[in-house]
Structure formats: C-alpha cells, structure tokens
Amino acid sequence: MSTPRTQQLTGIDNARIVLSDRVVEGSIELDDGHITAVGPRPIRRIGRLDAHGGYLIPGLVDLHSDAIERQWQPRPSAEFEPALAFVETDRHFALAGITTAVDAVAFIDLDAGSRSIDRAQRQWNTIRQLRGNALIRHELHLRCEVTQPRSVAIAADALRRSEARLVSAMDHTPEEVIQASDGVSAAKTATEIRALAAQARQHGIRFASHDDPTEASVQAMADLGVDVFEFPVTIGAAKAVAELGLASVVGAPNLLRGRSHIDRLAAADAIAANLASAVCSDYAPAALLRAVFKLAATNICDLPAAVALASARPAAIVGLDDRGVIRPGALADLVLVHDHHGLPTATHTLVNGQLVMQAAPTRNPPSLQVSPL
C-alpha cells in the first residue's frame, strides 16, 4: 500500500495498550510498518509519540460501510464527483480510527433513484483507482441485488477477477429472502445465490447474506453457501447463525443508540448472548470506536473483547490476519484514544507505522463512559 508522505514513528510511549486479553501500560516499538515489540519502557529514543496515558488500540477493521454514498450524494438531487466522495470518506475513516475499510457498494436499481447500478459501477471503479494512494487501507465489498440480473452478472465478473474481499446477497423485495421479484422466480434466485457462493468459495472470498429474519431463512442461505450473516433481524436468526458455527455482523449505530433504527434486534443483546462475531460501522464511521468503548463502559464485555469485535475478529472473517491486534509481527495500524468532550476520540491514527491523522492534542485519557445518541 502506498500512502501520502506522513510522519514515520519508531514507537509510542506512556500508553495503556489494549492487547488481545488484557490492558498493559508501557511502550511499543515500530519498524518497517510493523510492530516489533511491546514492553514496559522504550528501546529507542527518537521519532516517538508520547501517548500521555491514552488507550492504544489496533486500527479498526470495518467490514461494512456505505459511508461513501453520503459523500457522493448528500441530498437526493445533489451529487458530487466520485473522487471527492472517496477522498472525504477516506479522511472520515482516519478520523474515526478505522484503518481498514471494506467499502460496501450496492449494485441495485431503486425506483427512488437513491441507488443505481450505474452509480455503483462508478463508485467501484473510483475506489479501485484511488485506494493505492489513500490515508487508510481500502478493500471492496460488493452488495449484489440477487433479484436483478445485471447486478448478478456484475458480481460474477468481480468474483472471476477476485476484485472483492466480501460479496453479499441482498433482496430488497418486501418478502426479503429468496422471493420472486422483477420477473425472477424464487428458484432462479436461489440458483443465482448458490452459483455466486460457489464462485466466491473458489476464489477464497467470503459470501454474506443480509437482514435474515428467521431461523429458516438463515438455514436456507447457509444451504446455498452463505458463510457470513450481516444484521440478523431477530435473536432467533442470530442464534441459528451461531449454532451453524458461522459469522454474524452487527452494527455500531445500533449499539451506540441502544436499539435498531427500524425496531429490529438490538446489537447489544446479540453481543451479550455471545451471538455476534463482529461489529461494523454500517452507515456511520464515527459510531464504531464509540460503540466499542460503550460495550466496555456498560460491562457487556471487557475492553479487549470489545476492541476485538471491531478489529481482530472482522479482520479474521475476511482473511486479513496481519492486522487488528497489537503483537510483534502485526501491521503497525494503530489508534490512540483520548477523551474529547466526554467521548472516546481518536487523536492519532497510524497506518504502516505512519501518522496519517492527528487531531487536536489532548492529555485526558477516556473514562470509558459513552452516552447514547
């Protein structure tokens, strides 16, 4: 990955370092874009950052974010250039402590015009063209509307080219899962899903379902080859995913607000019952870091486990095992967190050991208290 010229650090001192199983106070050493050591005191003396007691966490890995849509089209009748949308979204991720974003691009034609396959294709191409010179790391998540043949064809082509890190099957008809729509029979839709899932498996790409409402729908999608479930609608659906030993993803906005915005499963309930594999930002990058700290503040899980839900665990789901943890050998993608107006806030974001974002300096470590929106 190539990043704009930024400050290269050799280490970070005086930090509360969030490891996979505990929090320790001390320093970390960095070299050639990787973490080389974690210890009680610094080894080298130059090119270092004083954390002033803040929490040092691995950079967040966001499996599902369609935030670029808000930058592209902030109002229904207002559309900006795709390059502007990408650059601003990239900056927002860095500010939010997200160092790997799996950008979700929805290939769907909607009557309201808020999404279209043509617009999605431009978004997709822009991300592919510009991500090599971005602040953070960008992967691609292709959201395929399985009832629309053009979307299915584009997904199949992207899979053949191994362009996506994640592909998900969506069905926005009122019946939701594997139903007839746009002249496509339910059987044909199931055939398309099965073929896409097999193709994804052949190329080592994870294949996801979206908004499954029932145990039966989870089983049906799993039988077709789905191995990741985004936003289970009910606790029953989430339990079915867990019983199958598959991965499920819940949304940070849901966690931060304490409820779904459309009266579905509360993400906190799923995590408390050990039924969620990862947390994503969904549509609000700023929610992810705050949701992590809220999980710890409300004793749903401890801070290392909460951080892992937004770093190591999503990274592992899509095969990015070189990041999401603080240990020797891991990529030096890191975030320093301090208190800002009572909220845990990323003040420094590092990618490859390079400081790509520094906010207003503060010396107040976060108190782990996060108020819901």
Side-chain angles (χ1 to χ4, degrees), residues 348-361:
H348 302 75
T349 299
L350 282 72
V351 176
N352 272 338
Q354 296 182 349
L355 188 61
V356 299
M357 186 283 296
Q358 180 174 350

Side-chain angles (χ1 to χ4, degrees), residues 189-212:
T189 300
T191 300
E192 300 286 14
I193 293 172
R194 184 179 290 108
L196 289 173
Q199 195 175 352
R201 189 163 51 251
Q202 178 184 352
H203 291 277
I205 297 168
R206 301 303 294 268
F207 193 74
S209 184
H210 186 73
D211 289 350
D212 287 282

